Amino acid sequence: MSVDVISHALSETGDLSPPIKSGVINEASIPGRLLSLCQPQARIAQEGVICFKSIGDGFEDLVAASLVHTQLKELHTAEPSLIEAR
């Protein structure tokens, strides 16, 4: 399992709180962090199920907004009338 921000995952998410409180999982059960997964040398399991739990820290929103902005700029450069017509 991987999460974006471990401190938030352990304290704020309703999906992880019950198994943590009951002792089914603990911090060591959540080895992956978003920033480490983005590194070229990241080790990702090749078997089994890989689960990513987003806590909503805003990283994903920033990446999505950046992607939309980039694509709109490229679209405007390629075909300005498409953007202006909308």
Side-chain angles (χ1 to χ4, degrees):
M1 177 180 291
S2 297
V3 297
D4 47 3
V5 180
I6 188 63
S7 60
H8 296 181
L10 296 175
S11 64
E12 297 178 18
T13 178
D15 296 335
L16 297 178
S17 294
I20 289 172
K21 287 179 182 173
S22 67
V24 173
I25 64 171
N26 59 29
E27 187 173 347
S29 305
I30 310 170
R33 307 294 184 268
L34 178 61
L35 294 178
S36 65
L37 292 174
C38 295
Q39 302 300 315
Q41 66 275 15
R43 295 179 57 181
I44 300 173
Q46 301 298 312
E47 297 179 359
V49 176
I50 300 171
C51 178
F52 177 76
K53 175 63 183 163
S54 172
I55 311 306
D57 201 47
F59 294 128
E60 295 86 4
D61 296 338
L62 180 60
V63 171
S66 177
L67 177 63
V68 169
H69 180 257
T70 299
Q71 289 181 346
L72 283 173
K73 282 180 22 181
E74 290 172 2
L75 181 61
H76 182 69
T77 301
E79 190 64 47
S81 62
L82 289 176
I83 300 295
E84 294 165 7
R86 294 181 183 170

